[in-house]
Amino acid sequence: METGNNISDFHIAPLDAASFKMLYQCYAKKMYRICYRELQEEELCADIIHNVFLSVWERRETLIMDNPEAFLIHAVKIQILKFFRDNASRKSHLQNSLQDYSEADTSTLQAIYFNNLSERVYLLVDKLPPQCRRIYLMRDQEGLNNTEIATELGISVSAVKQQIGLALSFLRKNIVREV
């Protein structure tokens, strides 16, 4: 499309409605082709072209365009880059959200498995012979070492070790059956 004589006058502010219409008619199709080549989405391209011209119209009182074609093409390219940046940011946020959700889901499952395992261990501990159960609980719940348990119960350290070994062997064997 051949440009009219008035196109060179766009550098003069303010831009009136007739000049704006001529600007649109002269450059909208070219801007759309540039945009479509990058984005391949008709509606998105139409929105970008609309937004560029809306911005020009809103700034018509103060906007000076010495080279309207270069100005408008540059504006479209900036909007395309902005779209890619925003889209990448949205994808990144979505990925982070999904990862956070996945980690929360995993930690919830781990907590459920841990609670289930703990419950089974306590049920099995209740099945231990009384002396063996007492020694095991003193070590695991009260945090006492073998010497402290032996001193408190008045038995040898080797007897404590033997009872702990029996308790652990019983728990390992029976936990595996229940899993």
Side-chain angles (χ1 to χ4, degrees), residues 63-80:
L63 186 63
I64 297 173
M65 289 186 277
D66 290 327
N67 184 342
E69 182 177 9
F71 177 87
L72 293 170
I73 289 172
H74 182 71
V76 165
K77 288 180 179 181
I78 288 172
Q79 292 302 312
I80 292 168

Side-chain angles (χ1 to χ4, degrees), residues 122-140:
Y122 286 120
L123 290 173
L124 289 171
V125 167
D126 284 343
K127 294 180 182 179
L128 290 170
Q131 180 75 352
C132 189
R133 179 180 341 115
R134 185 172 182 200
I135 291 170
Y136 177 82
L137 291 174
M138 289 174 82
R139 188 192 74 152
D140 277 13

Side-chain angles (χ1 to χ4, degrees), residues 129-136 138-139 145-151 153-168:
Q131 180 75 352
C132 189
R133 179 180 341 115
R134 185 172 182 200
I135 291 170
Y136 177 82
M138 289 174 82
R139 188 192 74 152
N145 65 34
N146 292 349
T147 306
E148 293 168 331
I149 295 170
T151 303
L153 296 178
I155 59 175
S156 69
V157 173
S158 62
V160 171
K161 288 180 183 179
Q162 181 184 6
Q163 292 297 313
I164 295 289
L166 289 172
L168 293 175

Side-chain angles (χ1 to χ4, degrees), residues 6-150:
N6 292 342
I7 293 294
S8 63
D9 296 336
F10 284 127
H11 67 280
I12 301 171
L15 186 64
D16 63 11
S19 298
F20 179 81
K21 183 177 179 182
M22 188 171 27
L23 185 70
Y24 182 85
Q25 289 172 342
C26 289
Y27 299 113
K29 287 181 183 178
K30 183 172 187 173
M31 294 165 61
Y32 181 86
R33 283 192 304 270
I34 291 168
C35 194
Y36 190 80
R37 185 176 53 229
E38 297 297 324
L39 302 176
Q40 302 288 314
E41 288 186 44
E42 290 179 12
E43 192 173 315
L44 179 59
C45 293
D47 287 345
I48 287 176
I49 303 307
H50 170 80
N51 290 338
V52 168
F53 277 106
L54 179 63
S55 175
V56 168
W57 181 253
E58 288 172 344
R59 299 182 305 151
R60 71 188 176 278
E61 298 291 325
T62 58
L63 186 63
I64 297 173
M65 289 186 277
D66 290 327
N67 184 342
E69 182 177 9
F71 177 87
L72 293 170
I73 289 172
H74 182 71
V76 165
K77 288 180 179 181
I78 288 172
Q79 292 302 312
I80 292 168
L81 291 174
K82 184 179 176 200
F83 169 78
F84 283 128
R85 183 196 67 215
D86 293 348
N87 199 32
S89 178
R90 264 188 244 108
K91 283 182 182 178
S92 176
H93 288 304
L94 179 60
Q95 251 180 342
N96 290 338
S97 295
L98 289 173
Q99 184 176 354
D100 291 345
Y101 175 77
S102 176
E103 289 172 2
D105 190 42
T106 301
S107 65
T108 302
L109 282 174
Q110 288 174 345
I112 290 170
Y113 290 143
F114 177 77
N115 290 338
N116 189 9
L117 181 62
S118 295
E119 185 178 320
R120 287 190 306 202
V121 168
Y122 286 120
L123 290 173
L124 289 171
V125 167
D126 284 343
K127 294 180 182 179
L128 290 170
Q131 180 75 352
C132 189
R133 179 180 341 115
R134 185 172 182 200
I135 291 170
Y136 177 82
L137 291 174
M138 289 174 82
R139 188 192 74 152
D140 277 13
Q141 288 185 349
E142 297 174 29
L144 300 177
N145 65 34
N146 292 349
T147 306
E148 293 168 331
I149 295 170

